[in-house]
């Protein structure tokens, strides 16, 4: 890929292999009914040390891919996982050693994203096929957030009351962001109770991914065919990355130590 500079000062280039940004202590693999976790060790391994992994799928259906995952930051034993085909939310109270169905309100809803609200014990958000949902009791019960716009065409066989939400992100200052079936990202300043729209992307595409830099000064948004966009004014205006072609960008991550370094997952490879 030819290299060029974005107006925000970032350059993008293809990577031939995935690069690890953080020494993750737990991850969910998007495979057929498979979740994995690291083996607890004391002391914690250094960032360069290899991690040991073990299955964490007890109670999850064997033939359902895991689409979304979140762990409570104040109670690491509390975790949520969302599967597909058919859609179902699961809850763990033992760091993923076992799982039980939860969230009757989310039945038949495809959950694309889960977020544990920082510094809020037991509060989770779920980005679903028909809008945004919030739980105040650790994922046991859920209610819809009404601020988001309504859908155009409901997908066959799924409940549908709002637009799909594909990505949820939390900034260091407590602000929450979401992206989905809308040309604008949305932001919440009250732990996800109410939401306000930000600036629309120039290309007018739906958004599949979001990332917020560690200091909150920069936002990235990945679209469903129009490429990658960046904002340096809190999401009010957006500039397209010249280095990333008009493609699907489905994942975005900032390096927590340097907001000039970020990673984008597009269809086929990372950039």
């Amino acid at each position: 890929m030819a290299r060029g500079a974005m107006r925000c000062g970032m350059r993008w280039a293809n990577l031939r292999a995935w690069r690890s940004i953080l020494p993750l202590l737990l991850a969910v693999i998007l495979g057929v009914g498979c979740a994995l976790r690291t083996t607890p060790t004391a002391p914690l391994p250094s960032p360069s040390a290899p991690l040991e992994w073990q299955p964490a799928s007890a109670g999850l259906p064997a033939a359902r891919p895991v689409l979304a995952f979140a762990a409570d930051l104040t109670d690491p034993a509390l975790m949520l996982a969302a599967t597909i085909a058919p859609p179902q939310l699961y809850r763990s109270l033992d760091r993923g050693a076992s799982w039980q169905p939860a969230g009757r309100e989310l039945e038949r809803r495809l959950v694309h994203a889960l977020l544990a609200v920082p510094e809020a014990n037991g509060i989770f958000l779920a980005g679903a096929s028909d809008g945004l949902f919030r739980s105040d009791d650790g994922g046991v019960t859920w209610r819809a957030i009404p601020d988001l716009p309504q859908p155009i065409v409901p997908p066959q066989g799924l409940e549908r009351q709002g637009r799909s939400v594909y990505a949820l992100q939390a900034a260091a200052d407590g602000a929450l962001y979401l992206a989905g079936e809308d040309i604008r990202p949305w932001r919440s300043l009250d732990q996800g109770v109410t939401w306000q729209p930000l600036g629309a992307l120039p290309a007018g595409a739906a958004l599949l991914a979001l990332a917020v830099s560690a200091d909150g000064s920069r936002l990235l948004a990945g679209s469903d065919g129009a490429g990658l966009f960046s904002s340096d004014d809190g999401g009010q205006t957006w500039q397209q990355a010249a280095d990333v072609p008009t493609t699907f960008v489905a994942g975005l991550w900032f390096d927590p130590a340097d907001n000039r370094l970020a990673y984008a997952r597009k269809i086929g490879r990372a950039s």
Side-chain angles (χ1 to χ4, degrees):
M1 176 189 298
R3 298 191 180 192
M6 292 177 60
R7 279 159 54 182
C8 68
M10 301 182 73
R11 294 179 180 270
W12 294 86
N14 280 333
L15 297 180
R16 295 187 179 275
W18 286 99
R19 174 179 174 184
S20 175
I21 300 176
L22 290 172
L24 299 179
L25 297 182
L26 182 121
V28 173
I29 305 302
L30 300 185
V32 178
C34 179
L36 300 177
R37 63 175 181 172
T38 55
T39 302
T41 59
L44 292 175
S46 68
S48 61
L51 296 175
E52 296 182 5
W53 296 87
Q54 60 179 308
S57 302
L60 294 178
R64 296 184 190 177
V66 175
L67 186 59
F69 169 84
D72 192 323
L73 301 180
T74 60
D75 179 10
L78 173 57
M79 300 174 177
L80 300 180
T83 62
I84 60 176
Q88 178 66 58
L89 183 72
Y90 290 86
R91 186 170 181 259
S92 175
L93 299 176
D94 52 16
R95 296 177 180 262
S98 62
W99 298 86
Q100 299 78 37
R104 182 175 56 85
E105 298 83 359
L106 296 179
E107 289 181 357
R108 301 183 67 235
R109 289 182 165 95
L110 190 63
V111 175
H112 301 283
L114 289 166
L115 176 69
V117 177
E119 300 182 4
N121 188 17
I123 298 180
F124 287 87
L125 298 176
S129 55
D130 64 337
L132 182 68
F133 292 79
R134 175 187 168 99
S135 174
D136 295 319
D137 56 10
V140 177
T141 61
W142 297 80
R143 59 183 176 86
I145 301 298
D147 291 341
L148 303 184
Q150 294 302 302
I152 300 173
V153 180
Q156 185 176 2
L158 291 175
E159 299 288 344
R160 184 75 160 178
Q161 297 177 352
R163 291 184 186 269
S164 293
V165 174
Y166 299 127
L168 293 164
Q169 288 287 334
D173 62 0
L176 306 179
Y177 296 85
L178 69 79
E181 195 181 8
D182 193 359
I183 61 174
R184 304 163 297 177
W186 290 62
R187 180 176 61 194
S188 173
L189 301 177
D190 56 9
Q191 296 186 327
V193 177
T194 60
W195 294 80
Q196 299 77 40
L198 300 178
L201 268 70
L207 306 181
L208 302 180
L210 274 179
V212 187
S213 62
D215 62 3
S217 66
R218 176 167 293 163
L219 298 176
L220 298 176
S223 72
D224 66 344
L228 175 63
F229 297 82
S230 175
S231 173
D232 290 329
D233 58 7
Q236 299 306 311
T237 61
W238 297 87
Q239 299 81 43
Q240 190 167 17
D243 308 325
V244 181
T246 53
T247 186
F248 288 76
V249 177
L252 289 166
W253 301 268
F254 270 104
D255 187 320
D258 186 351
N259 66 1
R260 298 170 300 175
L261 180 61
Y263 298 83
R265 178 170 61 87
K266 60 182 183 177
I267 299 300
R269 64 175 62 181
S271 293

